[in-house]
Structures are given as C-alpha cells and as structure tokens.
Amino acid sequence: MRNRLLVAAVVTVVAGICGPAAAAGAPAGDQDTTFVNSSHQGNLAEIAAGQDAQEHATTSCVKDVGAKLVTDHEDLDSDLKALATKSGMTLPTAPTVEQQQKLIAIQDEAGTAEYDTAWLADQEAAHTKTLALIDTQIRAGSDTAVTNAAQKARPVVAMHLEMVRGGTCHPM
C-alpha cells in the first residue's frame, strides 16, 4: 500500500510539474527527439513494471519476464542516455502519467492471477506501441545515431512482445 501511495504522489507531482513541460520539450515534427524522449519514458515504464512484476506476480514465468524486461530496458536506456547526452538532449525524468497510471491500476490486483493477466495485457500493448515507434524512427528518422539505436532496440522489443503475446506468458 505504501508503494502505491508513493507512486500516486509521483504521478501527481509529475502531472503538475512535468506534464506540459515534457510535451513542450520536443519541437513539433522532430522525429528523432520524439523517438528518444518516448523511448526513454518507455524504458522507465518497463523497468518499473518489470520490478513490480517480480514483487507482485503469482507465476514464476511472469516474474522471470519482469526480470528480463528490467535487465534489457536498463541496457537499452543506458545507450539511449549516452546518445541523448552526446546530442545535448534533456530527457524526461519519469514515465508518462498514462504509463504510471496503468501500473497503479495493475497494482490493484497485486498477488492475484488477475494481476498477471492485466500485467501481460499491458505489456503486450506497450511493446506493440513501442515497435510502431521504432519502425517509424527507422523509416522517417533523420539522425543516423538515433536510427541506429532504434534498429538495435527492435529485436529486443520484438522478443519482449513474443514473451507476452496473446496475454499469455511465454518463457524466454
């Protein structure tokens, strides 16, 4: 319960302070900046969701997939942060409010089979959305380094999607 209150407080602070500023940080039409910011927030959300699954899931498969998400998204985000620093980009400091709210809603089912079902469905939706973001960057990006990062992330995200496809946990 304490963790949920802390997450709720963070959502409130982020919504009040960072919400409009984060949206204003990416110039309109700047595919590369949008990709880097959205990918970073996605990585933060996946790390939080993976950690939460390790704590609240009821099956070892979901816990293991959660651990894999944490490891892989930390690696992807490390590369993305280095790229952002080199490019002079300022990254958001938290997942989007929507991403945080989804995790809070899933946490309402912590320790039940419904948690696992909701977590898997959310991960399928998130990774499907991320693959579309990656494919757009590969197709329309103008910064070679950013597009290379997208190409490197694509097989990892595709593997994650296969691990949760159909709302069913598929071990690695």
Side-chain angles (χ1 to χ4, degrees):
M1 180 67 171
R2 186 173 178 196
N3 284 344
R4 289 184 58 228
L5 291 174
L6 178 59
V7 171
V10 169
V11 168
T12 303
V13 170
V14 169
I17 296 173
C18 297
D30 187 348
Q31 172 60 40
D32 301 309
T33 301
T34 299
F35 174 79
V36 170
N37 285 331
S38 296
S39 294
H40 174 64
Q41 287 181 299
N43 286 331
L44 295 177
E46 296 308 328
I47 293 165
Q51 291 169 337
D52 197 72
Q54 290 175 76
E55 184 177 342
H56 295 117
T58 62
T59 65
S60 60
C61 185
V62 173
K63 289 179 181 195
D64 292 345
V65 169
K68 181 71 173 157
L69 293 183
V70 170
T71 301
D72 290 350
H73 283 282
E74 285 177 341
D75 288 346
L76 290 173
D77 205 49
S78 177
D79 293 345
L80 201 60
K81 286 191 270 188
L83 175 64
T85 298
K86 186 176 179 180
S87 300
M89 295 180 195
T90 301
L91 294 173
T93 58
T96 67
V97 172
E98 177 185 359
Q99 290 164 330
Q100 293 175 49
Q101 289 171 337
K102 284 181 180 181
L103 182 57
I104 291 169
I106 292 167
Q107 289 173 333
D108 285 342
E109 306 294 337
T112 69
E114 289 79 12
Y115 173 92
D116 293 17
T117 300
W119 189 87
L120 289 165
D122 183 61
Q123 290 309 305
E124 182 175 21
H127 284 85
T128 298
K129 184 177 179 179
T130 300
L131 274 179
L133 179 73
I134 288 170
D135 289 342
T136 299
Q137 177 62 34
I138 291 169
R139 203 174 45 254
S142 59
D143 184 312
T144 303
V146 175
T147 300
N148 288 343
Q151 290 171 331
K152 179 180 177 184
R154 193 180 198 297
V156 176
V157 174
M159 176 189 62
H160 292 172
L161 180 57
E162 289 306 312
M163 292 165 51
V164 299
R165 188 168 300 281
T168 303
C169 191
H170 305 280
M172 302 162 270

